[in-house]
Amino acid sequence: MLQSFNSTNPSMELSSSLTPFSKKLSEISFSSSLCPFPLELHQNPSKPKNLRIFAVAIDPPQELPRNSPQRLLKELAQRKKATAPRKKMPPKRFILKPPLDDKKLTERFLNSPQLSLKQFPLLSSCLPSSKLNNADKTWIDEYLLEAKQALGYPLEKSDELGDDNPAKQFDTLLYLAFQHPSCDRTNARHVRSAHSRLWFLGQYVLELALAEFFLQRYPRESPGPMRERVFALIGKRNLPKWIKAASLQNLIFPYDDMDKLIRKDREPPVKSVFWALFGAIYLCFGMPEVYRVLFEVFGMDPEAEDCQPRLRRQLEDVDYVSVEFEGNKLSWQDVATYKPPEDALFAHPRLFRACVPPGMHRFRGNIWDYDSKPQVMQTIGYPLAVTDRIPEITEARNIELGLGLQLCFLHPSKYKFEHPRFCFERLEYVGQKIQDLVMAERLLMKHLDAPGRWLQERHRRVLMNKFCGRYLREKYLHRFIIYSEQVQDAFEHNRRLRNPATTAVQQALHGLSYSVYGKPDVRRLMFEAFDFEQIQPKSV
């Protein structure tokens, strides 16, 4: 019994023996917060050994007064820790503005100069979206007379002309043409957007004007050398030279010497102004005035040494050309002032004769003429109904149209070595330029608020080569292209080789349509027959 008690309660003996010592500890008070347990320090061999340890006595925390600055700072620090980090706000130009109500939106559109000209929709679409303010009129008063004098225009205000004359808006468009993205007035939205829309149109006007000029000036030449001539005249490296020849550099760079600027600071503003300038001239005065300014004001010389294409092996052209071109190199005055006679077969007879060689008549009555031509003409809606005074004129036009269609579907591999012009290359060249211009005009009239950069991207995406070929293939017209036997075998099972040919035929059809019926028929082909803006994905 005694043994079990001792074994079961040893703690009672220990507590009885420690009781006096614990009373003594409770009577002693420590003024410091040192821990009664031993403190072990592990020395780092890389640090010096003479370390000093200071023990600091801390009083029990006392609550700070309610209005104490230290308390407020402490609460603020705790609140900062609790809240999430502040997100970076987007710049103001990316923040969506609340939409205008219908009344304000209607007033804005009705007061816009873009809706003021009903009879000139394209010109109206290139006017600024709001009326010019005092800062715009200040520039016009200071510099516009100098620009007009350099370009050879009368100094009177264009506002005094009649409403039925598109030149009434020339002062406004000429002012906008000089407001390139690096100048002071480009911060105004209506100025910046209108200038970009002008240069978007002007680049395609220049390309078409020079393509038509060189096609008629060099009737035996292939498009390769002609493209090199065009690039040598209006490539961006040469544009500062033309601007200086017309003494317009002080209007583009009023505070700098153009010759001392580096290329990346000099060429983009000059190119922007140059393109916009011809967009304004085309809208107000038409294509003849474009030729006058190019060759008279800027002094471009197509026979200059630095404008000549590189030497290449040219196939000998044994066939004759039209009587108008034989032994007669046309000048820009002949091209600019040419007016087709009243009983002309085509809208652009000289351009048709430059692209379709007279030797095509030897192909009348061949297999393609009887088998494929009726199907092609039915698909694209040819021939158009034209009322002529003499029935023989209609018959002759339809015969020439059939020969032109056969040339559009004639691949260079078939007769290229016998006759360099027996293929669609020249028609393709002018067709590419006219479809660019027609598409640009369409986008300008369709999107009144869009700046030129957006229109340029949209234009490029719609007219990509793979899409142009697809439009033709969706109408199943690629089956009528005439290849040589060797190329036919190579193209039979290789789509990548075949697709560029369908793109070229598509563009050649537009070139033929432009030379025979004019620009309205190009619009009909692009937006009705082939439905260019409806980009359909391939069916899976």
Side-chain angles (χ1 to χ4, degrees):
M1 187 75 179
L2 181 61
Q3 185 179 359
S4 64
F5 178 78
N6 290 337
S7 61
T8 53
N9 293 321
S11 60
M12 294 178 63
E13 294 183 1
L14 184 62
S15 62
S16 61
S17 63
L18 291 178
T19 302
F21 183 71
S22 61
K23 289 181 180 178
K24 291 180 181 179
L25 281 176
S26 62
E27 293 174 1
I28 301 173
S29 65
F30 287 89
S31 61
S32 66
S33 61
L34 285 175
C35 180
F37 302 102
L39 183 65
E40 295 184 3
L41 294 177
H42 301 280
Q43 292 185 355
N44 191 349
S46 62
K47 291 185 178 181
K49 296 180 180 180
N50 49 352
L51 296 174
R52 294 182 180 181
I53 300 173
F54 294 94
V56 180
I58 301 176
D59 294 331
Q62 297 179 356
E63 190 174 355
L64 294 169
R66 187 170 184 180
N67 296 329
S68 170
Q70 289 84 357
R71 178 175 179 171
L72 295 176
L73 289 172
K74 186 177 180 182
E75 290 181 1
L76 184 62
Q78 291 176 352
R79 190 176 300 173
K80 278 187 177 180
K81 290 180 183 178
T83 57
R86 187 176 180 183
K87 294 182 179 180
K88 189 177 181 182
M89 296 295 292
K92 285 185 177 180
R93 61 196 180 97
F94 293 131
I95 298 177
L96 294 177
K97 296 180 180 179
L100 295 173
D101 57 346
D102 294 342
K103 185 179 179 182
K104 288 184 179 179
L105 196 62
T106 306
E107 289 180 358
R108 176 184 161 192
F109 273 102
L110 291 179
N111 294 331
S112 170
Q114 290 181 330
L115 296 181
S116 60
L117 298 178
K118 300 287 178 63
Q119 63 271 39
F120 304 115
L122 179 62
L123 171 60
S124 180
S125 68
C126 292
L127 291 174
S129 56
S130 58
K131 294 180 180 179
L132 299 182
N133 54 30
N134 291 331
D136 303 323
K137 293 175 181 176
T138 301
W139 193 99
I140 291 176
D141 294 338
E142 289 186 8
Y143 300 108
L144 196 67
L145 292 180
E146 183 181 348
K148 281 187 165 184
Q149 188 174 11
L151 294 171
Y153 290 106
L155 303 182
E156 291 81 12
K157 291 185 177 181
S158 65
D159 300 342
E160 301 170 359
L161 299 173
D163 292 337
D164 57 343
N165 191 346
K168 182 175 183 179
Q169 309 295 330
F170 184 61
D171 284 1
T172 302
L173 295 181
L174 190 59
Y175 157 68
L176 294 171
F178 282 94
Q179 309 311 308
H180 56 87
S182 304
C183 71
D184 299 334
R185 292 297 301 143
T186 193
N187 293 328
R189 181 179 177 273
H190 66 285
V191 174
R192 180 176 67 249
S193 180
H195 172 83
S196 64
R197 291 167 71 87
L198 276 179
W199 69 247
F200 167 67
L201 176 67
Q203 58 180 318
Y204 302 116
V205 170
L206 283 169
E207 292 279 348
L208 178 64
L210 290 178
E212 288 190 36
F213 172 65
F214 284 122
L215 280 168
Q216 298 175 51
R217 186 176 174 87
Y218 304 104
R220 297 180 182 271
E221 205 169 73
S222 62
M226 282 188 279
R227 292 179 190 272
E228 292 181 15
R229 294 178 191 273
V230 172
F231 180 75
L233 285 178
I234 58 171
K236 65 178 182 179
R237 287 197 175 192
N238 296 321
L239 294 185
K241 177 178 69 173
W242 306 126
I243 289 292
K244 192 171 183 182
S247 302
L248 294 172
Q249 70 273 14
N250 292 332
L251 298 178
I252 304 175
F253 304 104
Y255 309 112
D256 300 302
D257 185 1
M258 186 178 73
D259 297 331
K260 294 182 179 179
L261 295 174
I262 59 177
R263 274 187 57 197
K264 70 181 183 66
D265 293 336
R266 178 177 67 240
E267 289 175 1
V270 168
K271 182 179 74 172
S272 181
V273 170
F274 194 84
W275 286 355
L277 186 61
F278 282 97
I281 292 171
Y282 172 74
L283 290 171
C284 293
F285 302 106
M287 198 63 87
E289 188 66 15
V290 171
Y291 287 114
R292 185 195 72 82
V293 176
L294 275 175
F295 295 104
E296 269 194 5
V297 176
F298 292 111
M300 294 188 179
D301 182 14
E303 295 298 323
E305 289 186 7
D306 54 350
C307 294
Q308 301 310 306
R310 61 183 178 83
L311 294 176
R312 48 168 60 81
R313 289 191 303 169
Q314 184 78 23
L315 295 170
E316 185 182 1
D317 193 355
V318 296
D319 197 11
Y320 59 91
V321 295
S322 182
V323 181
E324 296 178 86
F325 309 122
E326 191 66 62
N328 180 24
K329 190 177 283 186
L330 299 182
S331 63
W332 71 265
Q333 289 94 341
D334 299 327
V335 175
T337 60
Y338 175 71
K339 291 183 179 179
E342 293 182 1
D343 57 347
L345 294 179
F346 316 115
H348 302 277
R350 190 187 274 168
L351 185 62
F352 179 88
R353 298 297 178 201
C355 293
V356 181
M360 279 300 295
H361 281 272
R362 76 183 68 166
F363 294 111
R364 288 182 63 187
N366 63 2
I367 297 177
W368 195 93
D369 205 6
Y370 281 109
D371 186 23
S372 303
K373 188 179 77 172
Q375 301 180 56
V376 173
M377 295 184 83
Q378 184 179 3
T379 303
I380 61 180
Y382 278 161
L384 298 184
V386 180
T387 55
D388 295 302
R389 292 184 295 107
I390 309 172
E392 286 78 8
I393 293 181
T394 306
E395 184 181 356
R397 180 188 297 110
N398 293 341
I399 291 173
E400 297 281 359
L401 176 65
L403 296 175
L405 279 175
Q406 187 167 348
L407 189 62
C408 288
F409 285 86
L410 202 58
H411 193 264
S413 61
K414 188 67 175 173
Y415 295 109
K416 181 73 171 175
F417 293 101
E418 301 174 16
H419 191 305
R421 287 180 294 144
F422 272 84
C423 60
F424 49 61
E425 285 184 338
R426 291 170 70 86
L427 281 173
E428 176 199 3
Y429 182 38
V430 67
Q432 179 187 6
K433 303 308 177 186
I434 188 61
Q435 87 173 15
D436 282 346
L437 182 59
V438 166
M439 193 73 218
E441 293 177 358
R442 170 89 165 190
L443 291 175
L444 283 168
M445 290 187 283
K446 191 174 181 181
H447 305 281
L448 292 179
D449 275 352
R453 296 284 181 191
W454 186 89
L455 294 174
Q456 181 83 24
E457 183 65 19
R458 174 83 176 170
H459 185 280
R460 188 187 69 84
R461 289 180 180 274
V462 173
L463 293 184
M464 290 177 75
N465 283 343
K466 63 177 182 179
F467 290 141
C468 291
R470 186 189 299 175
Y471 303 138
L472 188 84
R473 294 192 295 273
E474 284 178 353
K475 298 293 181 181
Y476 298 102
L477 293 177
H478 60 286
R479 299 176 296 149
F480 305 116
I481 302 178
I482 308 166
Y483 302 104
S484 67
E485 294 179 1
Q486 182 181 0
V487 171
Q488 180 77 38
D489 295 340
F491 283 8
E492 192 69 32
H493 303 292
N494 194 325
R495 179 180 56 82
R496 293 199 174 192
L497 291 176
R498 194 169 58 239
N499 284 1
T502 58
T503 301
V505 171
Q506 172 76 63
Q507 293 172 347
L509 285 174
H510 293 149
L512 179 70
S513 169
Y514 175 65
S515 61
V516 175
Y517 292 113
K519 194 190 292 184
D521 191 55
V522 180
R523 295 193 194 100
R524 183 192 69 84
L525 275 186
M526 290 178 66
F527 306 118
E528 293 180 21
F530 293 108
D531 200 6
F532 257 49
E533 289 184 308
Q534 188 69 31
I535 302 173
Q536 298 286 352
K538 287 187 177 180
S539 57
V540 180

